[in-house]
Amino acid sequence: MQITRRQVVRELIGNNIVPQQDSATAFASSNIALCKYWGKRDVELNLPVTSSLSISMSHLGASSKISIAEDKQDQIFLNTQYMSPNTIFYRRLVAFLDLFRPTQDTVFKIDTKTNIPVGAGLASSACGFAATVKALDKLFDWNLSPQQQSVLARIGSGSACRSIYDGFVLWQAGYKENGMDSYAQRLDYTWDELRVGVLLVDERQKSITSSDAMQATVETCPFYKTWPEIVEHAINNTQHAIDTKDFWLLGATAEANALAMHALMLSTTPSIIYTQAATLDYMHLVWRARAEGLGVFFTQDAGPNLKILFLSKDEPRVRAFFMDMEIVAPFSMVTEVIGCDYV
Ligand code: PMV
């Protein structure tokens, strides 16, 4: 029998939903998968078919401020703009908040601020849900462990379970029906020289959500059965690359894994193509830079934008190839966060 989100939430927090303060705020970094999560074995609980491995994006992310409001319905603001109840953003967040209402007529006010484009395949929902879970943990004074927070965040949006942590993060697929063993954990490695560049092609919301796209892939792609083995191999290679600081192995594995995921989507019925002409131009530029000996690789999520991986020593040369680009140093101390409440 299908286990519900509500049952999982109750198992974690019991009936502990009495607010302990007026409001609570938390920040979570966005994360970029080097080995992708693509396909659910349980849609209700966002349980993945495979494990996945990501890197968190330091100061790029979202903050979420939650309070109890005196209103008729939840009030949701995104970057200070009031969100209409008709938007997907509003409906997804409210469905999640429904799991934590002290009484049926409790109304929440949520103020989300993010410094990355929303719904453009830059993991905005991941950091949004992770920040919301961290803020709820403070509001209700649950003192949940990061692992437990990761389970709650996964229920909001699968990849959000990785945004609970900094650095390299592994989300173990798990095998239990209730998903209590499907959470992310930080890998105990740093790689100070690693850099991630964000190449923006199009900041508009994608036409098909990652959830719908992965479900269509699982159901209709004739090659989907090859995916678990592809990801397992990629995770092993990535862990070895991190362990030995083999940047070319890390980059080559991430790039191949992203292309494999998009190949699955291409062969889904109807075909799902997030790639745009400008995305392809950037891919060719990456390959040209590499042919000239520069260590630079790309990865692509459910959107047309690319994230590129390189090392700090190559930053001037990479900048010369890709002019307008925000660069993140995932392992540097965060000293300034623009556009979010960093807490
Ligand atoms: O968590 P979702 O439903 O937004 O799916 C994320 C899917 C990818 O970003 C394409 C891959 C991943 O592992 O983050």
Side-chain angles (χ1 to χ4, degrees):
M1 210 176 56
Q2 174 69 54
I3 294 167
T4 65
R5 294 170 174 222
R6 203 168 282 280
Q7 285 170 319
V8 173
V9 168
R10 286 295 160 265
E11 196 167 327
L12 283 169
I13 60 164
N15 285 323
N16 207 348
I17 39 177
V18 180
Q20 301 296 315
Q21 45 202 312
D22 292 341
S23 71
T25 309
F27 173 86
S29 303
S30 89
N31 76 79
I32 302 300
L34 302 174
C35 306
K36 310 291 185 190
Y37 147 56
W38 199 251
K40 306 181 196 206
R41 68 169 197 277
D42 183 319
V43 175
E44 162 83 6
L45 301 178
N46 289 336
L47 294 177
V49 172
T50 71
S51 298
S52 55
L53 196 157
S54 63
I55 178 107
S56 285
M57 294 286 272
S58 179
H59 65 279
L60 288 190
S63 64
S64 178
K65 179 177 178 190
I66 305 189
S67 43
I68 307 288
E70 300 288 327
D71 249 301
K72 286 203 189 66
Q73 58 180 2
D74 293 333
Q75 302 291 306
I76 297 181
F77 294 84
L78 176 60
N79 292 332
T80 70
Q81 279 213 339
Y82 173 75
M83 298 302 287
S84 149
N86 302 327
T87 54
I88 296 181
F89 185 91
Y90 184 98
R91 277 190 256 133
R92 277 186 78 190
L93 197 49
V94 167
F96 188 62
L97 293 172
D98 281 345
L99 301 167
F100 309 99
R101 278 181 220 285
T103 64
Q104 260 188 345
D105 33 54
T106 302
V107 168
F108 289 105
K109 179 181 174 207
I110 304 249
D111 208 338
T112 296
K113 289 189 187 141
T114 176
N115 50 18
I116 50 172
V118 175
L122 286 166
S124 57
S125 67
C127 52
F129 277 104
T132 299
V133 166
K134 287 181 176 187
L136 285 167
D137 185 69
K138 287 185 188 171
L139 186 76
F140 295 115
D141 206 13
W142 292 325
N143 284 310
L144 294 178
S145 67
Q147 266 178 31
Q148 292 170 316
Q149 291 185 17
S150 180
V151 169
L152 285 187
R154 171 185 34 84
I155 285 174
S157 167
S159 57
C161 74
R162 300 185 309 236
S163 271
I164 295 292
Y165 308 88
D166 294 329
F168 291 115
V169 178
L170 178 68
W171 172 13
Q172 286 286 2
Y175 57 88
K176 288 188 180 166
E177 258 179 82
N178 66 3
M180 284 303 180
D181 57 349
S182 183
Y183 51 77
Q185 276 176 302
R186 189 182 196 281
L187 297 177
D188 197 13
Y189 289 96
T190 52
W191 195 336
D192 291 336
E193 301 80 13
L194 196 65
R195 296 290 178 271
V196 184
V198 181
L199 294 175
L200 282 180
V201 166
D202 189 342
E203 295 191 39
R204 282 172 302 180
Q205 294 240 8
K206 51 204 175 195
S207 52
I208 172 165
T209 64
S210 43
S211 249
D212 289 345
M214 65 177 81
Q215 199 49 29
T217 310
V218 171
E219 283 166 13
T220 71
C221 173
F223 311 113
Y224 188 74
K225 53 182 172 307
T226 62
W227 181 243
E229 207 180 310
I230 292 173
V231 184
E232 196 187 321
H233 189 61
I235 290 178
N236 286 340
N237 277 346
T238 305
Q239 283 186 303
H240 181 67
I242 295 170
D243 197 27
T244 55
K245 297 247 167 92
D246 182 341
F247 175 72
W248 283 69
L249 178 62
L250 182 98
T253 306
E255 190 173 299
N257 187 255
L259 286 170
M261 179 181 78
H262 285 274
L264 295 182
M265 288 187 239
L266 205 57
S267 46
T268 290
T269 309
S271 213
I272 300 161
I273 305 180
Y274 288 112
T275 300
Q276 295 181 9
T279 317
L280 274 175
D281 288 343
Y282 271 136
M283 288 179 182
H284 283 287
L285 201 53
V286 168
W287 292 326
R288 186 144 32 98
R290 228 164 47 231
E292 291 180 20
L294 194 57
V296 57
F297 297 85
F298 66 80
T299 182
Q300 180 187 4
D301 291 293
N305 306 304
L306 294 187
K307 275 70 68 169
I308 55 170
L309 303 163
F310 55 95
L311 294 176
S312 52
K313 68 178 173 57
D314 292 325
E315 191 166 324
R317 280 181 73 198
V318 171
R319 272 216 186 274
F321 267 96
F322 309 93
M323 308 286 174
D324 280 334
M325 170 177 58
E326 170 135 23
I327 295 179
V328 175
F331 293 96
S332 70
M333 280 268 295
V334 178
T335 49
E336 190 185 24
V337 173
I338 297 167
C340 288
D341 302 314
Y342 185 74
V343 267

